[in-house]
Amino acid sequence: MLIPLLLAITAPSQTASPLSDPPADPQTTQSEASADGSGPPKPAPAKIELPPSAGAKESKLKLGGAIRARYDLRFNDVRSDGARRTSSHLSFDTLLLTADYDSSVIFAAAQYRFYGGSFIYGRANGYDVYPGEVSFPMYAYVGAKLSAKDKVTIGLQPVPFDDRWWGSAFFNSLGFVVGMEEIYNLGISASHQGERAAFDIGFFPGAAPNAFGISRDSARFSVNLVRADGYVPRGIQTAERNMIVGRTRYQVPLSTTAKLTLTGSGWISSVRNFDTGRDGYRHAAAFSAKVEDGRWHGKLLAARQIIDPQGVGSDDRVSVGDYDASYNIAARGTMLFGEAGRSIDTGKLPFEFSLYGNYARFLKDRHGFRDSERLTLGAFWTDKATHRIRVWSDLMIGRNDPYVGAGQYISGAAQGGDNRIKTSLLILMGYYF
């Protein structure tokens, strides 16, 4: 476990990753709109929730977006000769453009993102280094409100598997790394929101489309099963199809200020293997309990995932991709996640402030595969007046985590990396308009 090892940040130097490695840490981020009408767990930053209500009388079209920069301090980076070093980078992160529509019956939303021109998408990885070199849609959907409690949505939309954001960190959790958290796919869904119980069911014929980049199949936001790039050892060529995903929630009042939310989710699909021409499957399930009481919140989650890619030989790993890069993950494993956080009363100060900490561990079934884990300690800041200025600060301590530390990206979530603790600090600064 990582928690007893916080003092071991200065672990021995790690194996260097080749210069031809893909971007070392795809920019996983919490999004700014909510098709399911529910915001992320506290104290995650303010989101634009769509639709705001089923009783809206006037039609509204809102155009907006954001521009973000990032500062990375990496304590376990490497030089070209493999020697350990600490590196720091201040660079462009992304430009995102949004369009939101709402009326008494119809609602719709879309977001498109532009990346590139940063140290992550550098010349050593084959990029020409200009903003917009990598771009893709995050979501694009339209829906109808059948009643105050029921709606249907069609398009590229959030898959109803537990909360869309399991926690509050900008980089999400290891659940995102293995393709179970904040996934947007093409399909149709139906939702019912009762006084205490809520139900969601969706059918998704295919994953998010591959857009613009230099990878074979990974220019997309969500972590999907993909056709692996040539640099991925034992990479396989797959695509997920005919996904049926469902979720049920039930809220239990604990006091006048506290509530408990229990959530259960299931996911079944077919997996087409282009290498063998055979069809495999993906089965996943999750259960979580979340408590909210005033400024405090806490959550525990357990999820199980089994992917049978019907490959040649051993089916102990599968290739996934996002942010224009692909990597391997273990095909079978159990995810454990927990978070606690609190919003801070800042009095007359002009900003809002929240603290959070979460821990995730991916327990892999295959003997000899090293577990992946991540501890995140973070804070979120925004101005009280407009909420246009938003700043995330996340300290990430990981082991065999593709997003933390050099040399872990391609195989960290599969058989594991060098099994050493890695540490990095991310400060993400955005202006939303």
Side-chain angles (χ1 to χ4, degrees), residues 162-185:
D162 199 75
D163 295 322
R164 193 193 314 184
W165 304 280
W166 290 6
S168 306
F170 182 85
F171 260 22
N172 297 80
S173 75
L174 286 177
F176 185 91
V177 171
V178 299
M180 290 193 285
E181 180 183 4
E182 198 180 6
I183 304 299
Y184 302 84
N185 284 336

Side-chain angles (χ1 to χ4, degrees), residues 233-348:
R234 293 184 59 186
I236 62 175
Q237 319 297 314
T238 63
E240 190 172 15
R241 299 174 177 175
N242 301 324
M243 293 160 269
I244 300 174
V245 187
R247 174 181 63 201
T248 181
R249 288 194 182 106
Y250 189 77
Q251 287 190 356
V252 181
L254 300 179
S255 70
T256 56
T257 61
K259 65 179 179 179
L260 168 67
T261 303
L262 302 174
T263 304
S265 308
W267 183 323
I268 60 173
S269 67
S270 63
V271 175
R272 182 63 175 175
N273 190 309
F274 299 108
D275 293 327
T276 64
R278 299 196 295 259
D279 289 322
Y281 62 86
R282 176 186 187 181
H283 294 166
F287 179 80
S288 68
K290 179 172 62 178
V291 175
E292 299 168 277
D293 187 1
R295 295 182 176 274
W296 287 93
H297 80 273
K299 179 174 180 175
L300 294 174
L301 176 146
R304 174 74 177 162
Q305 178 164 267
I306 299 173
I307 303 173
D308 181 359
Q310 284 291 301
V312 178
S314 177
D315 286 332
D316 54 14
R317 71 199 76 191
V318 65
S319 300
V320 297
D322 71 334
Y323 285 85
D324 206 36
S326 54
Y327 57 94
N328 285 335
I329 66 170
R332 297 168 180 257
T334 300
M335 182 70 67
L336 302 177
F337 172 83
E339 175 174 291
R342 189 183 193 279
S343 60
I344 306 300
D345 184 359
T346 57
K348 296 182 178 180

